[in-house]
Each structure stands twice: as structure tokens, then as C-alpha cells.
Amino acid sequence: STILYNDQFMAREQGKVDMEDRGYQFGDGIYEALRVYNGEMFLLDLHMKRLNRSARELRLTLPYDTDHLVENLNKLIKDNEMNDGYVYFQITRGAIARKHRFPEKPISSVLTASVEATTQDEDLYPDGIKASLIDDIRWLRCDIKTLNLLGNVLANQEAFEKGSAEAILHRDGVVTEGSTCNVFIVKDGVLITHPANHFILNGITRLFVLQLAEQLGIPVEERTYTTDELLDADEAFITSTGVRVTPVVQIDEHPVGDGKPGAITSRLLDAFNHEIAQFIAK
Ligand code: PLP
């Protein structure tokens, strides 16, 4: 396959990282992952806005502006003849002799991008998943989409070893988000999700689902909720670029609601799929 390395296109095998790249040594970088439908990037503007915010928060300079990046990503999709799948890209602060503080003289940041083809519905679980509650041990800037994902990696592995598809994280009994997704619950017809602050990544899918809920007239509360409220919820689901809206039907040994995907979850998933169908048709 073809990858993008800074402003150059090359074979995957040609893409080499410097051993002193700050992304490699410190996780000093940011990333985005987008869904491609019918050769077009979905919710592109929101992803680019979040990328620029992440860069600002880490005082990281992008190698070139977003318009040019979008041009390059579109070329990458075309060169790989990809219709359905993902685009992943990351930007590190660059390569220089190892020191924690920023380089004194500006160095070039390093951008790499690749695509991964999938079938339309390969990452979807409409019948729902089992999740496990895991301690959220991450830092206090989870709002930045950084390459530092060890807290997420360890939680995701722990959930996997418990036979679960996802980890639902909590800080002292307050549910934050999943290891790779945001988490919503439904109680008495109200959709509830953690507010977008430093404790969670403000998922693009989260924002899209909040918009769909408004269009459908489903009442929403962006507020914290406890693990007890989660276990006592009528419905629960997770959202991400990969899984869209996926019902959570079991949490460790507890069924959620009646153990089947809930009615509001299904309405949101239907609306989501309808939007994608329209996106593909246009
Ligand atoms: N939260 C975390 C920790 C994530 O890694 C992700 C994305 O993979 C999300 C939430 C969901 O974000 P998005 O909807 O933009 O994919």
C-alpha cells in the first residue's frame, strides 16, 4: 500500500521513523482516525477542527495547513483505490537528541498517514457487546487526542482478558468514557453522557449523536453519572468512528436493561445509518 510521509507518497515499506523521534520516545504527538465511505472522508471538518485544537493544546506546529493535508489525504485514498475503510494519521513534534523540554530551535514535525480498507459493516455489533468496568488511571488531559495511549491500552487489554469487547472507565465511581469510545446511558427516556471536559475525548461520533438526538427530540443531559447509574440504566451504548452506535447489553455480570439493545439506542443507530446512506448517495 501507499502511505503519506510529510508531503511525500511512498510504499509502506519505505516509511521509516527516526529512533529519536519524539513521538517514538515520549508519545509526543497527536492523531486522528476518520471513516471513509465511498471514497469520501466522513465528518471531515469536525476531525480537522479537533486536530487543530490538539495541536494548539500541545503547542505543536503542523507541517502544513489543513487544506493541504485534506488534499494529500484525498490523494492517499485515491492512490490506494479505497472505497470503504479508515484513514489514520499522526503528527509528532519531530526528531532531535532526547530531552524532555521542547527543542530550542524549531524542528520539523513529522506527519505519517495510512489507510485501512474494511467492508461496510465489519466493525459493527448491532446486537450489542459486553463491557467491563475498569479504573480510569489516565492523566488529566484526556481531551487531547495524543499518541500517549497506555492507560487506554492497559484498560482495553484488561477488558479483553475478562471476555469483554470494551472497557468502560470510571474515576472513583464516576463513569468517564470507554478505552476507545464515548459512553451514553438512557434512563427514563433521557440520554445521558459525560460532559466534554478534560476527563474525556470529545468524540466526533459523540457530537454527531448529540445532534441526531436533538433532531429526533430525545432529551439530553450532558452530566456526570456513576457506575451505579450505569448498572441501573435502561439502555447503554458506546460511540466511536469505528463502531458508530453500538449497544452495551452486559456490564461484567450484569445485564443492561433487559439485556437487549434498547429502543432509543436503536432509533439513534437507525438515524446514524440513514445519514451515512445519504452521505454515500450524494
Ligand atoms: N474516546 C477515546 C478514548 C477514543 O480513543 C475515541 C476514538 O477512538 C473516542 C472516544 C471516540 O472518538 P471519535 O468518535 O472521534 O472516534
Side-chain angles (χ1 to χ4, degrees), residues 130 132 134 154-165:
K130 176 188 167 189
S132 282
I134 312 267
L154 292 177
N156 193 273
Q157 177 63 20
E158 198 178 327
F160 174 75
E161 286 171 5
K162 289 181 164 166
S164 290

Side-chain angles (χ1 to χ4, degrees), residues 31-33 47 50 138 145 149 152 177-182 201-206 239-242:
Y31 75 104
E32 282 293 328
H47 281 280
R50 183 171 67 184
R138 301 173 304 161
K145 201 160 170 66
L149 291 172
N152 307 61
E177 61 177 335
S179 70
T180 68
C181 56
N182 295 108
L201 183 76
N202 194 1
I204 303 306
T205 321
R206 173 188 182 278
T239 64
S240 76
T241 295

Side-chain angles (χ1 to χ4, degrees), residues 112-175:
T112 49
S114 57
V115 298
E116 189 195 343
T118 56
T119 58
Q120 262 290 329
D121 50 8
E122 155 174 350
D123 298 322
L124 305 182
Y125 306 89
D127 297 334
I129 59 153
K130 176 188 167 189
S132 282
L133 276 170
I134 312 267
D135 242 355
D136 192 344
I137 61 163
R138 301 173 304 161
W139 73 330
L140 301 177
R141 290 307 305 274
C142 296
D143 56 310
I144 310 172
K145 201 160 170 66
T146 86
L147 299 175
N148 260 292
L149 291 172
L150 263 184
N152 307 61
V153 165
L154 292 177
N156 193 273
Q157 177 63 20
E158 198 178 327
F160 174 75
E161 286 171 5
K162 289 181 164 166
S164 290
E166 190 40 281
I168 296 183
L169 308 175
H170 67 92
R171 284 186 197 269
D172 294 325
V174 172
V175 175

Side-chain angles (χ1 to χ4, degrees), residues 17 23 27 39 43 61 75 85 105 127 149 172 174 177 252-253 259:
V17 172
L43 302 175
T61 312
K75 182 164 167 18
K105 291 195 197 93
D127 297 334
L149 291 172
D172 294 325
V174 172
E177 61 177 335
D252 295 308
E253 301 323 314

